[in-house]
Amino acid sequence: PTRRSSDLEADLTDQFRDAAATGWLPYFETAAHQTGLPIELLLGVASRETNIRNIKGDLRNGIYHGYGVMQVDIGTQPDFCRTWTAGEAQGSIHCGAQVLAGKRNYLAHRGITDLKAVAAAYNTGEGNVFRSIRAGADPDRTTSGGDYGFDVLARTEIFANLAAIFLNRPKI
């Protein structure tokens, strides 16, 4: 079953308020500034990954594969994951933003600048997204649920509206 849009908006409003209350929004803003990625996109990824919670996730065979707010992958950033602590969100947001920026840069170097593709690459890898697009397929073809990029962009749009309201920022 798909969530209604109003349910998603209510959930994301709660997530946004919680991120503000925990003091994490400045971490997202700094990471956005450092990477050139929209803060709303970073929030969209964090929302899809953890509902903007600082947790370990994706337990497989007794090993966690995702760490922190952005669920940084142990295979991509093992040093970060080894030193991650539950009480510290800033490093996770920064590391996740750097990973996302790297995937954006990889795809941009190959002529792909679509944010849906960039978001999908965070989940399934930039090589998989590039091969999907090259084959004429949707970049979400190999993502979790087959909709990761689409869902992150829907969340990004909602977060843009929330930022315009709560942070007095123009919408992207």
Side-chain angles (χ1 to χ4, degrees):
T2 315
R3 288 193 296 187
R4 290 190 337 257
S5 176
S6 60
D7 291 340
L8 180 60
E9 288 178 25
D11 289 347
L12 297 189
T13 299
D14 289 344
Q15 290 174 30
F16 188 89
R17 287 183 173 143
D18 288 347
T22 57
W24 294 354
L25 285 181
Y27 302 155
F28 281 102
E29 288 181 310
T30 298
H33 177 72
Q34 291 173 342
T35 60
L37 292 165
I39 184 178
E40 298 85 358
L41 179 63
L42 298 177
L43 288 164
V45 169
S47 174
R48 171 68 185 238
E49 292 288 338
T50 65
N51 293 323
I52 314 182
R53 295 175 299 138
N54 197 24
I55 60 172
K56 290 191 289 189
D58 195 15
L59 180 64
R60 290 181 268 149
N61 299 321
I63 299 171
Y64 288 99
H65 290 263
Y67 289 79
V69 178
M70 302 279 291
Q71 286 296 279
V72 175
D73 186 76
I74 194 168
T76 305
Q77 299 290 322
D79 292 338
F80 168 79
C81 294
R82 210 174 1 266
T83 60
W84 174 83
T85 61
E88 196 277 311
Q90 184 175 7
S92 167
I93 294 165
H94 174 77
C95 188
Q98 293 295 323
V99 169
L100 185 60
K103 293 174 184 306
R104 175 207 52 208
N105 295 345
Y106 174 95
L107 293 170
H109 183 70
R110 286 153 184 80
I112 301 166
T113 58
D114 177 53
L115 285 182
K116 178 183 173 185
V118 173
Y122 192 82
N123 176 257
T124 192
E126 59 272 35
N128 287 332
V129 167
F130 178 71
R131 284 186 291 279
S132 291
I133 291 171
R134 190 175 61 195
D138 190 293
D140 270 336
R141 178 174 70 171
T142 60
T143 64
S144 297
D147 70 345
Y148 187 94
F150 177 82
D151 182 62
V152 165
L153 285 190
R155 292 167 188 260
T156 297
E157 184 177 332
I158 293 168
F159 282 123
N161 290 333
L162 292 169
I165 294 166
F166 293 107
L167 301 178
N168 198 24
R169 295 173 45 125
K171 285 180 28 177
I172 60 167

